[in-house]
Amino acid sequence: MVIVMSPDATPSDVDAVVARVETAGGRAFVSRGVSRVIVGLVGDVDLFASLNLSGMPGVGQVTRVSTGYKLVSREQHPDRSVVHVRGVPIGPDTLTLIAGPCAVETPEQTLAAARMAQRAGATLLRGGAFKPRTSPYAFQGLGELGLKILADVRTETGLPIVTEVLSAHEVEMVASYADMLQVGTRNMQNFTLLREVGAAGKPVMLKRGMNATIEEWLMAAEYIAQRGNLSIVLCERGIRTFETATRNTLDVSAVPVAQRLSHLPVIVDPSHSGGRRDLVLPLARAGIVAGSDGVIVDVHPDPATALCDGPQALVEEDLTDLSRTIEDLSVYMGRTNPTRPLRKAS
Amino acid sequence: MVIVMSPDATPSDVDAVVARVETAGGRAFVSRGVSRVIVGLVGDVDLFASLNLSGMPGVGQVTRVSTGYKLVSREQHPDRSVVHVRGVPIGPDTLTLIAGPCAVETPEQTLAAARMAQRAGATLLRGGAFKPRTSPYAFQGLGELGLKILADVRTETGLPIVTEVLSAHEVEMVASYADMLQVGTRNMQNFTLLREVGAAGKPVMLKRGMNATIEEWLMAAEYIAQRGNLSIVLCERGIRTFETATRNTLDVSAVPVAQRLSHLPVIVDPSHSGGRRDLVLPLARAGIVAGSDGVIVDVHPDPATALCDGPQALVEEDLTDLSRTIEDLSVYMGRTNPTRPLRKAS
Amino acid sequence: MVIVMSPDATPSDVDAVVARVETAGGRAFVSRGVSRVIVGLVGDVDLFASLNLSGMPGVGQVTRVSTGYKLVSREQHPDRSVVHVRGVPIGPDTLTLIAGPCAVETPEQTLAAARMAQRAGATLLRGGAFKPRTSPYAFQGLGELGLKILADVRTETGLPIVTEVLSAHEVEMVASYADMLQVGTRNMQNFTLLREVGAAGKPVMLKRGMNATIEEWLMAAEYIAQRGNLSIVLCERGIRTFETATRNTLDVSAVPVAQRLSHLPVIVDPSHSGGRRDLVLPLARAGIVAGSDGVIVDVHPDPATALCDGPQALVEEDLTDLSRTIEDLSVYMGRTNPTRPLRKAS
Amino acid sequence: MVIVMSPDATPSDVDAVVARVETAGGRAFVSRGVSRVIVGLVGDVDLFASLNLSGMPGVGQVTRVSTGYKLVSREQHPDRSVVHVRGVPIGPDTLTLIAGPCAVETPEQTLAAARMAQRAGATLLRGGAFKPRTSPYAFQGLGELGLKILADVRTETGLPIVTEVLSAHEVEMVASYADMLQVGTRNMQNFTLLREVGAAGKPVMLKRGMNATIEEWLMAAEYIAQRGNLSIVLCERGIRTFETATRNTLDVSAVPVAQRLSHLPVIVDPSHSGGRRDLVLPLARAGIVAGSDGVIVDVHPDPATALCDGPQALVEEDLTDLSRTIEDLSVYMGRTNPTRPLRKAS
């Protein structure tokens, strides 16, 4: 931790800072510049954080040098992790496709979407039973009925299920159906939910908050990890900017940045970031070559009747392209597509 | 609702849109421009929203003309509302000061802060027992013990309590102590929480999400209102922008804009928006003359030891200024400060 | 300057940094933490900046502690400055109203707007002869003819003229008419223009770039000051955020923040920030009580026919309100309205 | 153009709108909804824009349906364009690498960087002689001397030159050396410069403003096109967001979006967007597979001594990777790298 004193700090202000740090068991090194004094702290950063040094007289700026997260940090864990979802790996050696309908609507629609996903090479099925919607008048999902449909489709297709949980008190119930629990962008800082999900014993996909810095995202993952669950996959799904041509702005830089800061796998969601079907493939490709460990997309057998996010769902005719993209770029990036035999890019 | 067809839409694309609308019981008016066709829809907007018109071939852009919220909209309810918190009004004729510590730490600190708040003219006491913190290693609040402290301080001072609830399953417990439930910025789109809070029978303070548009904020309020609770106060607390000199950017324009769109009271939080003690008074004044119905601030008897947000807490010597500001600007804005006798600005 | 070395920096990396600093004539203090080494530099910051320390092996993060601006900094110049525009002061003791049409259209319209401005208490006349427009098909201003109209209206009304200059090569010509040169938001980092304007011998109003941090804004002012011109007034005119309900978001916090960092006067533009006539007065009030040294607004005798920004122009019936606002809040903020006799707030 | 009237608009307000449109030679279609009236306009959109309809009583919202740009729009020009820079093509069939030093410092450094660029497969040389710098104390470039160095290096290497011009009055001089004129992010809305550059008879690279929407970017290109110059290449170089982990956020979605709206080539700048050497390759790859027509990168023989943006410059050891990336992904995206023989991805 580094403290920069204000230009008008007095010598006794500096002494008081040093005293507080040393009383708490740390060491403080004072460097006197022409117009400012800098104090470097050595010791337990969390302890220092609790000393409220920024509130002391004469303190200008307090900069935390080490990161606030530990369990998910790559500093402590240089090898990148692999998360397994009912046997399906997500990590540095593979490129995992997760696909399915934005919302579970009917058994038929869900099965049809799952079949589409599977044809495209997906090894995990996504599908929402509980939908967070900006408007209370929009379709809110089928709830537990939707989970039962997903479970039936899993039986039918063999695809493990990734599904969103919205509430701490529903985690246990959702986890009894799901193979992987999704925490959505609006809940990235719902800390109660993060703790419950951390305790549920299932892998978690943590979407980045649409206004969250990468550091806040990793801190949110740390909440889950603290409960003993390190099976966390980070998902970049677009951030909110001033641009209105796309629903959100896919922050493709976040993939390598987060992978350098954390050992956790990072995937991208090109459907929700662009919000437009014609952008899904270009953004999927961009995410993959930026180093993404997987891709999650919406597919729908009939987007014109979709109850949620129809405009961004891929349709049958997009699947061959998607499938080839995943295969070719897996090879290009030196990854194995987990369910497909290798072949050269064409 | 207005639909603008793509330049390459065919006549049968247009016919299909008209047919879908009319089948659903609406009416569609077609205007043919030089390069585009525009279809104006008349009828039930929510019905139209469910038709997924944007997914139909040839449809370029679908614009919702009426707002998505109804119960909180001012269109349906031209008079601005007054919300009462245990008898204390928040609304267009008053200027309510809500003050207290960011976090409840001890009985002594909470009582001292409440006394400070009261001296400054506050008629409601804020104080957090459940604290949402970016880092899992930061102080998370005292939980129910904190609520008991608040209840004791209420008995001592007579100040009704405003306190945050983080989880749907804790709403009932928190509501058994609180006079007003606060939904924080990170939970503005925690729809499960919004619904529970709507059903709890207590007034609600809904903080704006730091990345939420005004429209999304009003939609979040609509979730609460749908459960029969219209005792909602909106609180602008700063939005996230590119500027790093302040913690957030107080969007003072949001006060008059939200008041024109909704009948609900709107207050400002100058402590969390600026994140700096020296900005609290200027931002409080700015909020008030922009038309705010109240102000919520952090006070602390000893910010240097505060466990949460010490740098922004007002201290004893700020209170006279705060008190005079509230009084003078109440008069200037033609409002009555609910607990103080009127006097002229000096 | 403070350098935080990477966790994997070697001792020889640290030595190399120290050697480069000391060779250049500075001093370096090394603090060794548990996992990181911190190097505090003492000496000429600009010299250090030229050493490209952040590119050296093992260097993690380089933080500049002193500000990059000097001439406009308040650290060197604790008293706030007053800028005089043909005798009209803008500074800490007054509250200056600048008003006029967004664009000069005709002699009649300009004179009518100037009379409106004067009735509202304005002591400076704004008016654009060169208009920066997003679309090349929009009205671009009358050019030099517009300046002649402004000069005639100055003769008629006695109001000094504030007008925008768009190009370095037009500075001399525009300065031959204008009493104050305006640099617009899109040109805040047009450094060629800043230098010319700095050399022109006329006071300058520097609008904040809609995406500029406060630090960048002050650095832009430093470009002007470097040419020997310290008659600079900073103007906050709204920043670009994700919110679309207003044209821009007035960053009212920027007023006190910039005034603490710089001795230059700071004013607000409530017309361009909100972009809506109904927001001009609330935002003007907010800016004033946040400490603004003045207000600049658009007025138009007939906004329905305005060639530029009609929707935000104040009309005749707003003027009494505006005038009273300025007078009352001047008194409240302890300022003298330069052209009006004092009276108590009513 | 579509006009949505306010809920409280009177029939005579609607009539007045219709009358103004029809007097101006347009046609207006009125659709009456339950609570609102919608007026669709057919005719010359620019004419309608000049009528200031949004300022008329009862008008709620005016939406422009067609785009404001024409010459650069793809609606009028469905085939994507190729821009030639001294014979080097940038367009849909090729993938052009532009590389060189951020700033020209010495003849030796420039030549060394050019040789590096050429080894990496670059067919155009970038290099700044006039540098726009946030601080007036930072290195501002060598000016015309830098252009002479670039010209000598062109003679030596055969690489045509891309260089930035900062001022309208320097366009002619810079154009006498340059093969392509660059307009930087801070000047994207420097309309005087855009017009001069449009008239200079050289191809132009127009960087996106860091806060510009895609629509504003295309409008800026329209300013250049209006002067008869359609040899414009758009360059996405990162936008400003709340994220501070990267210098800017590369908006990779902007590539396909801009290519759908405009026929102009679009390239990406992975050096300035990320601001970090370790992000250049991942972002270059992302841009290419999103459909970019080229890539522009900084290279430097010794970044530790670079006078500008050293931390993001590629060094010798990155070049093989860069070169292979460009080659492999050219093939993958079905493009021909203009200067290299084709080979299969390995």
Side-chain angles (χ1 to χ4, degrees):
Chain A
M1 213 169 235
V2 179
I3 295 175
V4 178
M5 304 297 291
S6 303
D8 56 359
T10 64
S12 69
D13 291 342
V14 177
D15 292 348
V17 168
V18 172
R20 188 176 290 183
V21 168
E22 299 194 336
T23 304
R27 284 162 65 212
F29 294 85
V30 177
S31 310
R32 288 174 209 281
V34 175
S35 63
R36 291 182 189 252
V37 172
I38 294 164
V39 186
L41 307 193
V42 177
D44 177 351
V45 169
D46 291 309
L47 178 69
F48 295 155
S50 74
L51 297 179
N52 198 17
L53 298 163
S54 66
M56 294 185 71
V59 170
Q61 186 188 329
V62 177
T63 308
R64 194 174 181 134
V65 170
S66 5
T67 60
Y69 40 88
K70 298 168 189 184
L71 303 171
V72 307
S73 168
R74 196 156 175 192
E75 280 190 18
Q76 318 290 330
H77 191 307
D79 290 333
R80 300 196 53 228
S81 296
V82 178
V83 169
H84 288 89
V85 182
R86 216 181 239 231
V88 175
I90 307 176
D93 298 325
T94 49
L95 187 59
T96 309
L97 176 62
I98 308 172
C102 184
V104 173
E105 299 166 16
T106 64
E108 296 71 28
Q109 164 259 8
T110 307
L111 183 58
R115 294 286 190 214
M116 289 171 68
Q118 216 160 18
R119 276 195 297 278
T123 50
L124 294 171
L125 175 66
R126 61 150 296 159
F130 295 89
K131 299 300 304 173
R133 302 302 295 273
T134 300
S135 166
Y137 303 106
F139 175 61
Q140 309 277 321
L142 296 180
E144 192 166 357
L145 173 60
L147 297 174
K148 289 185 207 292
I149 293 174
L150 284 168
D152 290 345
V153 171
R154 173 177 54 201
T155 306
E156 194 83 17
T157 62
L159 292 170
I161 300 167
V162 183
T163 198
E164 181 164 1
V165 57
L166 292 180
S167 268
H169 68 274
E170 290 166 343
V171 167
E172 195 178 327
M173 183 268 286
V174 176
S176 73
Y177 295 93
D179 299 299
M180 180 177 225
L181 295 170
Q182 176 180 318
V183 175
T185 186
R186 291 171 185 76
N187 279 317
M188 192 203 84
Q189 290 196 319
N190 181 339
F191 302 116
T192 315
L193 179 62
L194 295 176
R195 284 197 204 91
E196 282 305 304
V197 152
K202 288 282 169 83
V204 178
M205 178 189 304
L206 179 64
K207 292 203 153 188
R208 180 178 180 188
M210 70 184 80
N211 69 321
T213 62
I214 293 170
E215 188 178 359
E216 290 168 339
W217 191 18
L218 297 178
M219 291 297 258
E222 187 84 2
Y223 267 93
I224 298 169
Q226 266 203 328
R227 292 293 172 115
N229 185 350
L230 274 163
S231 292
I232 306 166
V233 173
L234 301 169
C235 178
E236 160 63 33
R237 46 77 69 209
I239 57 174
R240 181 164 275 192
T241 68
F242 61 81
E243 177 60 73
T244 54
T246 47
R247 183 163 152 174
N248 291 281
T249 299
L250 183 70
D251 180 8
V252 80
S253 323
V255 175
V257 170
Q259 287 173 346
R260 254 149 231 166
L261 295 172
S262 172
H263 58 87
L264 299 177
V266 181
I267 68 170
V268 295
D269 178 343
S271 300
H272 285 79
S273 41
R276 288 164 45 170
R277 182 184 152 209
D278 66 345
L279 295 180
V280 175
L281 273 162
L283 294 181
R285 290 194 302 258
I288 292 169
V289 298
S292 181
D293 300 309
V295 175
I296 179 167
V297 295
D298 287 8
V299 297
H300 198 285
D302 181 15
T305 66
L307 295 178
C308 174
D309 288 344
Q312 76 199 25
L314 295 181
V315 298
E316 195 62 47
E317 69 204 67
D318 303 311
L319 294 187
T320 310
D321 274 357
L322 176 64
S323 173
R324 291 186 67 89
T325 292
I326 302 279
E327 284 177 73
D328 293 346
L329 293 178
S330 295
V331 176
Y332 179 71
M333 296 298 291
R335 293 167 183 265
T336 310
N337 187 311
T339 53
R340 292 295 180 108
L342 285 183
R343 65 179 186 91
K344 295 283 282 181
S346 58
Chain B
M1 212 169 236
V2 179
I3 295 174
V4 177
M5 303 298 291
S6 304
D8 55 359
T10 63
S12 69
D13 291 342
V14 177
D15 292 348
V17 168
V18 171
R20 189 177 291 183
V21 168
E22 298 195 336
T23 304
R27 286 160 64 211
F29 294 84
V30 178
S31 310
R32 289 175 208 281
V34 175
S35 61
R36 290 182 188 253
V37 172
I38 294 163
V39 186
L41 307 193
V42 177
D44 177 353
V45 169
D46 291 309
L47 178 69
F48 295 154
S50 74
L51 297 179
N52 197 17
L53 298 163
S54 65
M56 294 184 71
V59 169
Q61 185 188 331
V62 177
T63 307
R64 193 172 181 134
V65 170
S66 6
T67 61
Y69 42 88
K70 299 169 189 182
L71 302 171
V72 307
S73 167
R74 196 157 174 191
E75 280 190 18
Q76 319 289 330
H77 190 307
D79 289 332
R80 300 197 51 229
S81 294
V82 179
V83 168
H84 288 88
V85 182
R86 216 182 239 231
V88 175
I90 306 176
D93 298 326
T94 49
L95 186 59
T96 308
L97 176 62
I98 308 173
C102 183
V104 172
E105 299 165 16
T106 65
E108 296 71 29
Q109 166 257 8
T110 307
L111 182 59
R115 294 288 190 210
M116 288 171 69
Q118 215 161 19
R119 276 196 297 280
T123 49
L124 295 171
L125 175 66
R126 61 150 294 158
F130 295 90
K131 300 300 304 173
R133 301 303 294 274
T134 300
S135 166
Y137 302 106
F139 175 61
Q140 309 276 321
L142 297 179
E144 190 165 0
L145 173 60
L147 297 175
K148 288 187 207 294
I149 293 174
L150 284 170
D152 289 346
V153 171
R154 173 175 53 200
T155 304
E156 195 82 17
T157 61
L159 291 170
I161 301 167
V162 182
T163 199
E164 182 163 0
V165 58
L166 292 180
S167 270
H169 69 273
E170 290 166 342
V171 167
E172 193 177 329
M173 184 268 286
V174 176
S176 73
Y177 295 93
D179 300 298
M180 180 176 225
L181 297 169
Q182 177 181 317
V183 176
T185 187
R186 291 171 184 77
N187 278 317
M188 193 203 85
Q189 290 195 319
N190 180 337
F191 302 117
T192 315
L193 179 61
L194 295 177
R195 285 196 203 92
E196 281 307 303
V197 152
K202 287 282 168 84
V204 179
M205 178 189 303
L206 179 64
K207 289 203 155 189
R208 180 178 178 187
M210 68 185 82
N211 69 322
T213 62
I214 294 170
E215 187 178 359
E216 289 168 339
W217 191 19
L218 297 178
M219 291 297 259
E222 187 84 2
Y223 267 93
I224 299 170
Q226 267 202 328
R227 291 295 172 112
N229 185 350
L230 274 163
S231 291
I232 306 165
V233 172
L234 302 168
C235 179
E236 160 62 34
R237 48 76 68 207
I239 58 174
R240 182 162 274 191
T241 68
F242 60 81
E243 177 59 73
T244 54
T246 46
R247 184 163 153 173
N248 291 281
T249 300
L250 182 70
D251 180 8
V252 80
S253 322
V255 175
V257 170
Q259 287 174 346
R260 253 150 232 166
L261 295 171
S262 170
H263 58 87
L264 300 176
V266 181
I267 69 171
V268 295
D269 178 343
S271 300
H272 286 79
S273 41
R276 290 166 45 171
R277 181 183 152 210
D278 67 344
L279 294 180
V280 176
L281 274 162
L283 294 181
R285 290 195 300 260
I288 293 170
V289 298
S292 179
D293 300 309
V295 175
I296 179 166
V297 295
D298 287 8
V299 298
H300 198 284
D302 181 16
T305 66
L307 295 177
C308 172
D309 287 345
Q312 77 199 24
L314 294 182
V315 298
E316 194 63 45
E317 67 204 71
D318 303 311
L319 295 186
T320 309
D321 274 359
L322 176 64
S323 173
R324 289 188 68 89
T325 293
I326 302 279
E327 284 178 71
D328 293 346
L329 293 178
S330 295
V331 175
Y332 179 71
M333 295 299 290
R335 291 166 185 265
T336 308
N337 186 310
T339 55
R340 292 293 178 109
L342 286 182
R343 68 181 182 87
K344 294 283 283 181
S346 58
Chain C
M1 212 170 233
V2 179
I3 296 176
V4 178
M5 303 297 292
S6 303
D8 55 0
T10 65
S12 68
D13 291 342
V14 177
D15 293 347
V17 167
V18 171
R20 187 176 290 183
V21 168
E22 298 193 336
T23 304
R27 286 161 64 210
F29 295 84
V30 177
S31 309
R32 289 174 208 282
V34 175
S35 62
R36 290 182 189 250
V37 173
I38 293 164
V39 186
L41 307 193
V42 177
D44 177 352
V45 169
D46 292 308
L47 178 68
F48 296 155
S50 73
L51 297 178
N52 199 17
L53 298 162
S54 64
M56 294 184 71
V59 170
Q61 185 187 330
V62 177
T63 307
R64 193 172 182 133
V65 170
S66 3
T67 59
Y69 41 87
K70 297 168 189 184
L71 302 172
V72 307
S73 167
R74 197 157 174 190
E75 281 191 15
Q76 318 292 330
H77 190 307
D79 289 333
R80 300 196 52 228
S81 296
V82 179
V83 169
H84 288 89
V85 183
R86 214 180 239 230
V88 174
I90 306 177
D93 298 326
T94 49
L95 187 58
T96 308
L97 176 61
I98 308 171
C102 184
V104 172
E105 299 165 17
T106 63
E108 296 70 31
Q109 165 258 8
T110 307
L111 182 59
R115 295 284 190 213
M116 289 171 68
Q118 214 161 20
R119 276 195 296 279
T123 49
L124 294 171
L125 175 65
R126 63 149 296 158
F130 295 88
K131 300 300 304 173
R133 302 301 295 274
T134 300
S135 166
Y137 303 106
F139 174 60
Q140 308 275 322
L142 297 181
E144 192 166 357
L145 173 60
L147 296 175
K148 288 186 207 292
I149 293 174
L150 284 169
D152 289 346
V153 170
R154 173 176 54 200
T155 305
E156 193 83 18
T157 61
L159 291 171
I161 300 167
V162 183
T163 199
E164 181 163 2
V165 56
L166 292 179
S167 269
H169 69 274
E170 290 166 341
V171 167
E172 194 178 327
M173 184 268 287
V174 176
S176 72
Y177 295 93
D179 299 299
M180 180 176 225
L181 296 170
Q182 176 180 317
V183 175
T185 186
R186 290 172 184 76
N187 279 316
M188 194 204 83
Q189 291 195 319
N190 180 339
F191 302 117
T192 314
L193 179 62
L194 295 177
R195 284 196 204 94
E196 282 305 304
V197 152
K202 288 283 169 83
V204 179
M205 178 189 302
L206 178 64
K207 291 202 153 187
R208 181 179 180 187
M210 69 184 81
N211 69 322
T213 62
I214 293 170
E215 189 179 357
E216 290 168 338
W217 191 18
L218 296 178
M219 291 297 256
E222 188 83 1
Y223 267 93
I224 298 170
Q226 266 202 328
R227 292 292 171 116
N229 185 351
L230 274 163
S231 291
I232 306 166
V233 173
L234 301 168
C235 178
E236 159 64 33
R237 48 75 70 207
I239 58 174
R240 182 164 275 191
T241 68
F242 61 80
E243 176 60 73
T244 54
T246 46
R247 182 163 153 175
N248 291 281
T249 299
L250 182 70
D251 180 7
V252 80
S253 321
V255 175
V257 170
Q259 287 174 346
R260 252 149 232 167
L261 295 172
S262 171
H263 58 88
L264 299 177
V266 181
I267 68 170
V268 295
D269 178 343
S271 300
H272 286 78
S273 40
R276 288 166 44 170
R277 182 183 151 206
D278 66 345
L279 294 179
V280 176
L281 274 162
L283 294 180
R285 290 194 302 259
I288 293 170
V289 299
S292 180
D293 301 309
V295 175
I296 180 167
V297 295
D298 288 7
V299 299
H300 198 285
D302 181 17
T305 66
L307 296 177
C308 173
D309 287 346
Q312 77 199 25
L314 295 182
V315 297
E316 195 62 46
E317 67 204 71
D318 302 311
L319 294 187
T320 310
D321 274 359
L322 175 64
S323 172
R324 290 187 67 89
T325 293
I326 302 279
E327 284 178 70
D328 292 348
L329 293 178
S330 295
V331 176
Y332 179 71
M333 296 299 289
R335 292 167 184 263
T336 308
N337 187 309
T339 54
R340 292 293 179 109
L342 288 182
R343 66 181 184 87
K344 294 283 283 180
S346 57
Chain D
M1 212 170 233
V2 179
I3 295 174
V4 177
M5 304 297 292
S6 304
D8 55 359
T10 63
S12 69
D13 291 342
V14 178
D15 293 347
V17 167
V18 172
R20 189 176 291 184
V21 168
E22 299 195 334
T23 303
R27 285 162 63 209
F29 294 84
V30 178
S31 309
R32 289 173 208 283
V34 174
S35 62
R36 291 183 188 251
V37 172
I38 295 163
V39 186
L41 307 194
V42 177
D44 176 353
V45 169
D46 291 308
L47 178 70
F48 296 155
S50 73
L51 297 180
N52 198 18
L53 298 163
S54 66
M56 295 185 71
V59 170
Q61 188 188 331
V62 177
T63 308
R64 194 171 179 134
V65 170
S66 9
T67 61
Y69 40 89
K70 298 168 189 183
L71 302 171
V72 306
S73 166
R74 197 157 175 191
E75 280 191 17
Q76 318 291 329
H77 190 305
D79 289 333
R80 300 196 53 229
S81 296
V82 180
V83 169
H84 287 88
V85 182
R86 217 182 238 231
V88 175
I90 306 176
D93 298 326
T94 50
L95 187 58
T96 308
L97 176 62
I98 308 172
C102 183
V104 173
E105 299 166 16
T106 64
E108 295 71 28
Q109 165 258 8
T110 307
L111 182 60
R115 294 285 189 213
M116 290 171 67
Q118 214 159 20
R119 277 196 296 279
T123 48
L124 294 171
L125 174 66
R126 61 150 296 158
F130 295 89
K131 299 300 305 174
R133 301 302 296 273
T134 300
S135 165
Y137 303 106
F139 175 61
Q140 309 277 321
L142 297 180
E144 192 165 358
L145 173 60
L147 297 175
K148 288 186 206 294
I149 293 174
L150 284 169
D152 289 346
V153 171
R154 173 177 53 201
T155 304
E156 194 82 17
T157 61
L159 291 170
I161 301 167
V162 183
T163 198
E164 181 164 1
V165 57
L166 292 180
S167 269
H169 69 274
E170 291 165 342
V171 167
E172 194 177 328
M173 185 267 287
V174 176
S176 72
Y177 295 91
D179 299 299
M180 180 177 225
L181 296 169
Q182 177 181 319
V183 175
T185 185
R186 290 171 184 77
N187 279 317
M188 193 202 85
Q189 291 195 320
N190 180 339
F191 302 116
T192 314
L193 180 61
L194 295 177
R195 284 197 204 93
E196 281 306 304
V197 152
K202 288 282 168 84
V204 179
M205 178 189 304
L206 178 65
K207 290 202 153 188
R208 181 179 178 187
M210 68 184 83
N211 70 321
T213 62
I214 294 170
E215 187 179 359
E216 289 167 338
W217 191 20
L218 297 178
M219 291 296 258
E222 186 84 2
Y223 267 92
I224 298 169
Q226 266 202 328
R227 291 293 171 113
N229 185 351
L230 274 163
S231 291
I232 305 166
V233 172
L234 301 168
C235 178
E236 160 63 33
R237 47 78 66 207
I239 57 173
R240 181 162 273 190
T241 69
F242 60 81
E243 177 60 73
T244 55
T246 45
R247 182 164 153 174
N248 291 282
T249 300
L250 183 70
D251 180 8
V252 80
S253 323
V255 175
V257 170
Q259 287 174 345
R260 253 149 231 166
L261 295 172
S262 171
H263 58 89
L264 300 176
V266 181
I267 68 170
V268 296
D269 178 343
S271 300
H272 285 79
S273 42
R276 289 166 44 170
R277 181 184 152 208
D278 67 344
L279 295 180
V280 175
L281 274 161
L283 294 182
R285 290 195 300 261
I288 293 169
V289 298
S292 180
D293 300 308
V295 175
I296 179 167
V297 295
D298 288 6
V299 299
H300 198 284
D302 181 15
T305 66
L307 295 177
C308 174
D309 287 345
Q312 76 199 24
L314 295 182
V315 298
E316 195 61 46
E317 69 204 69
D318 303 312
L319 294 188
T320 310
D321 274 0
L322 176 65
S323 173
R324 289 187 68 89
T325 293
I326 302 278
E327 285 177 72
D328 293 348
L329 294 178
S330 294
V331 176
Y332 179 70
M333 295 298 292
R335 291 166 186 264
T336 309
N337 188 310
T339 54
R340 293 291 180 110
L342 286 183
R343 66 181 185 87
K344 293 282 284 181
S346 61

